[in-house]
Amino acid sequence: MRPLLASTLFLATPLLAADLPTQRFTVEHMDRTVSPGDDFFAYACGTWAKSALIPADRSSWGPTDALQERNAMLLRGLCDEAATKPGTERVAQLVGDYFAAANDEELMEKRGWEPVQADLHALAAVASKAELATFIGTLHGRGGSPLFGWYVDADERHSDRYALHLVQGGLSLPERGYYLDESFAEVRKKYVAHLQTMFVLAGDEAAKAKEQAAIVLRVETALAQASKPAEDLNDTEENYHAMPRAQLAELAPGFDWSGYWQALGTQPEGIIVGQPEFLTAAAKLVAAEPLDDLKTYIRWGILTGSADQLHRAVDAENFAFFGTVLGGQKAQRQRWKRAVASVDSALGDALGQLYVQQYFPPAARIKMEAMVAELKTVFREHIEHVPWMSEATRAKALGKLERFKAKLGYPTKWKDYAGLELRRDDYAGNVQRATAWEIHRQLGRISQSVDRTEWGMTAPTVNAYFDSTKNEIVFPAGILQPPFFDLEMDDAVNYGSTAAIIGHEMTHGFDSDGRKFDAEGNLADWWTEADAQEYERRADILVRQYNALHA
């Protein structure tokens, strides 16, 4: 076991919530010189906007960002304590070991490219397209994402069972438009320059790096051309195609699915394919492209996928493109902030346990339960009086609302992380091991009953969501803090902030996609034909209004 890291990486004393400034609601943020009818945003928070500054490591700034910064400091205190005062509690040990390794920039500098050498050597040894499919399965089993994506979640048409979903993917840029639209031509030039620099850092000569960059852009552009636009991914019905595993060979010939499944570690009987045309095109690409070019594309994925876990030159170059060119950030976030975020991503339930013990008062959950119940009553009254809805559809809508649930604060049970081993001297390895542990857990659930107690966000997360297949809203403890939720403020403040978010999430159950799920969370049509047509007609009015405003 390596000794504890240099104390300069950690806080001298544990952080308390009282040590950090709290951003609360105040009328001082308003600008009453502005008429609310002319510019309501300026009227409501114009004074705040005039004085607020966007930090160099952020591309935007608002109340959510400010709370995230404060929350990161609280989490840092927990991580510091776990790392510097290791005890017998396993969750604290996991958090401390992971955070210590994630914070050790000097060790990352010393190791250089070592963390990815095993994968690069294995890739270099691939001698056939069949072996390539097996290698892709291996990478997918540890969190890599070449060629296409996959995940395990509830079957949208049988929401009580988990299913394996295959979806389009394999791109490094945010979405297909970055590869195809003329408006992103300058971004593509900078992307190619970034590719070349990264390949040079990895040991290629400049001429070779230029060739490699061109190959990556060509392969990713082909995948982008086969991808659906982002706006077409919102329709669940159009992106749901259940089929037996054997049918994939017919849908996407040219890719060795047998070897892929074996390497991934699963043999699912059935699969839900999100975008069949994409998988067909991706398999054709594998069949048509030279093996060495495909290996170059996958090599790039290994390099960029681990960049923030490697030495400074690679980390800095990765940020220069993805952080500054794409994200608009002027400066990279401090290592400890990135380390805290990484702990939350890899060990969210371990960190979450420490977090709620320290920072989530029981009174917050009690207050939230009352607010949710009151909003549910108002929502019910609204549905009961919708003038254009038939009684048949109304009964179904009320039934769905009745089955609606809310998860508040933190889960009723936590992941145990049994079998996960972490090291203080191997950040990249910890990322891979933690990811592989979670993937193994996910694959083991295929065709099993859905665990309806499980959360899709960690307890410290400053966010909330609606889950269509569970018909529930989830509000982690992280967002139940000022300025969004404040036990010390008047009810009007909480109803103007938190209750608005609760209502926002509830309406997702009845929005353009959520309305297609029934009370049990199944993708099923419970609307009369006339009501569905009227819903679409009314929704189209809003679409046209929005388009006119942004024309």
Side-chain angles (χ1 to χ4, degrees):
M1 175 78 68
R2 294 180 69 248
L4 288 175
L5 302 180
S7 60
T8 54
L9 294 177
F10 304 106
L11 295 171
T13 57
L15 262 178
L16 299 176
D19 298 330
L20 300 173
T22 299
Q23 179 176 299
R24 287 194 155 89
F25 169 82
T26 173
V27 295
E28 298 302 319
H29 288 160
M30 300 173 66
D31 184 351
R32 301 191 188 211
T33 66
V34 177
S35 168
D38 293 337
D39 189 336
F40 188 80
F41 176 83
Y43 168 76
C45 50
T47 299
W48 172 86
K50 291 174 184 176
S51 61
L53 298 175
I54 300 176
D57 64 354
R58 293 272 185 171
S59 57
S60 61
W61 189 249
T64 300
D65 305 283
L67 177 53
Q68 287 173 341
E69 287 292 297
R70 183 178 187 276
N71 215 40
M73 287 294 293
L74 297 178
L75 293 173
R76 181 189 183 184
L78 296 172
C79 291
D80 278 342
E81 187 168 12
T84 56
K85 299 177 182 178
T88 57
E89 188 178 7
R90 176 162 167 77
V91 292
Q93 179 185 349
L94 289 171
V95 167
D97 288 348
Y98 191 102
F99 182 69
N103 234 350
D104 196 342
E105 288 184 301
E106 292 193 7
L107 182 58
M108 295 177 214
E109 187 68 19
K110 181 179 178 181
R111 296 188 69 190
W113 288 105
E114 178 189 338
V116 297
Q117 287 304 320
D119 280 343
L120 293 177
H121 290 152
L123 175 62
V126 168
S128 68
K129 299 285 183 70
E131 290 181 15
L132 189 74
T134 298
F135 187 74
I136 290 174
T138 300
L139 291 180
H140 279 193
R142 295 204 308 267
S145 56
L147 202 63
F148 57 88
W150 69 271
Y151 62 93
V152 176
D153 203 352
D155 182 334
E156 288 87 348
R157 292 198 182 278
H158 306 280
S159 62
D160 59 338
R161 296 283 171 181
Y162 287 112
L164 179 69
H165 298 68
L166 296 185
V167 293
Q168 66 186 44
L171 305 180
S172 300
L173 299 179
E175 52 95 18
R176 72 190 300 269
Y178 281 78
Y179 296 90
L180 307 177
D181 296 350
E182 184 58 32
S183 60
F184 290 111
E186 188 61 29
V187 172
R188 287 194 292 275
K189 289 180 182 178
K190 293 179 179 180
Y191 179 49
V192 171
H194 169 61
L195 287 165
Q196 292 177 214
T197 301
M198 286 287 282
F199 281 124
V200 169
L201 288 171
D204 292 350
E205 296 291 336
K208 179 68 172 178
K210 185 176 181 180
E211 294 175 6
Q212 304 278 76
I215 290 169
V216 171
L217 183 64
R218 189 186 74 247
V219 171
E220 291 188 349
T221 300
L223 293 174
Q225 289 171 331
S227 301
K228 281 187 175 183
E231 59 269 25
D232 292 344
L233 299 176
N234 293 325
D235 189 329
T236 303
E237 288 181 315
E238 293 298 319
N239 292 276
Y240 180 97
H241 307 273
M243 62 185 66
R245 185 182 76 242
Q247 189 175 335
L248 268 181
E250 302 174 12
L251 173 70
F255 185 78
D256 185 4
W257 291 103
S258 177
Y260 171 80
W261 295 125
Q262 186 174 359
L264 185 60
T266 186
Q267 298 289 334
E269 293 183 4
I271 299 162
I272 298 171
V273 176
Q275 300 79 35
E277 298 84 359
F278 176 86
L279 283 186
T280 300
K284 287 182 179 179
L285 181 71
V286 170
E289 285 284 342
L291 177 61
D292 285 345
D293 288 3
L294 293 170
K295 289 167 67 172
T296 294
Y297 159 71
I298 293 174
R299 179 179 175 230
W300 160 244
I302 294 171
L303 299 180
T304 192
S306 302
D308 66 343
Q309 303 147 36
L310 301 174
H311 50 296
R312 292 185 184 94
V314 175
D315 183 39
E317 172 59 29
N318 181 68
F319 171 77
F321 180 74
F322 289 102
T324 300
V325 174
L326 289 185
Q329 293 173 246
K330 296 179 181 178
Q332 190 169 25
R333 305 196 79 199
Q334 294 168 275
R335 171 58 69 173
W336 73 261
K337 291 182 182 179
R338 292 187 283 151
V340 164
S342 187
V343 173
D344 189 39
S345 176
L347 302 168
D349 273 20
L351 183 59
Q353 289 179 64
L354 304 180
Y355 180 78
V356 299
Q357 289 170 10
Q358 190 82 22
Y359 299 121
F360 187 67
R365 176 179 266 175
I366 294 171
K367 180 64 176 177
M368 279 292 292
E369 288 172 346
M371 291 176 66
V372 170
E374 289 170 354
L375 264 77
K376 190 174 179 179
T377 297
V378 173
F379 210 138
R380 181 183 299 109
E381 293 173 353
H382 178 71
I383 293 174
E384 289 173 345
H385 294 91
V386 174
W388 53 267
M389 184 178 283
S390 70
E391 292 309 312
T393 301
R394 193 188 319 276
K396 294 285 189 178
L398 291 170
K400 179 171 183 175
L401 182 64
E402 190 61 32
R403 291 288 299 272
F404 161 86
K405 293 181 176 61
K407 292 175 178 174
L408 308 171
Y410 56 92
T412 56
K413 66 179 182 180
W414 305 94
K415 298 175 187 175
D416 61 12
Y417 298 103
L420 174 59
E421 297 296 331
L422 301 175
R423 292 168 47 184
R424 284 180 167 243
D425 62 350
D426 188 11
Y427 177 36
N430 287 344
V431 172
Q432 283 197 0
R433 283 184 288 272
T435 304
W437 184 91
E438 176 62 21
I439 286 173
H440 178 76
R441 189 179 76 90
Q442 294 285 347
L443 292 174
R445 306 199 301 180
I446 296 173
S447 298
Q448 301 298 309
S449 297
V450 166
D451 181 357
R452 292 187 175 268
T453 69
E454 193 165 85
W455 286 41
M457 284 181 180
T458 68
T461 302
V462 181
N463 208 336
Y465 69 95
F466 175 81
D467 188 329
S468 294
T469 60
K470 292 179 180 176
N471 191 20
E472 66 184 17
I473 59 171
V474 181
F475 274 71
I479 198 173
L480 300 181
Q481 303 178 73
F484 298 108
F485 181 77
D486 195 337
L487 288 170
E488 298 182 17
M489 297 294 288
D490 187 89
D491 276 357
V493 173
N494 286 323
Y495 275 85
S497 54
T498 308
I501 303 172
I502 294 171
H504 167 89
E505 298 301 341
M506 289 178 69
T507 58
H508 278 313
F510 299 86
D511 65 15
S512 58
D513 193 55
R515 76 174 187 84
K516 297 176 182 178
F517 291 80
D518 63 18
E520 287 72 40
N522 291 312
L523 187 60
D525 189 0
W526 49 271
W527 295 68
T528 67
E529 183 176 354
D531 286 348
Q533 290 177 351
E534 180 62 12
Y535 181 103
E536 295 292 345
R537 186 189 72 79
R538 289 169 175 264
D540 188 57
I541 294 173
L542 295 177
V543 172
R544 285 186 278 114
Q545 180 186 22
Y546 182 88
N547 288 341
L549 290 172
H550 292 78

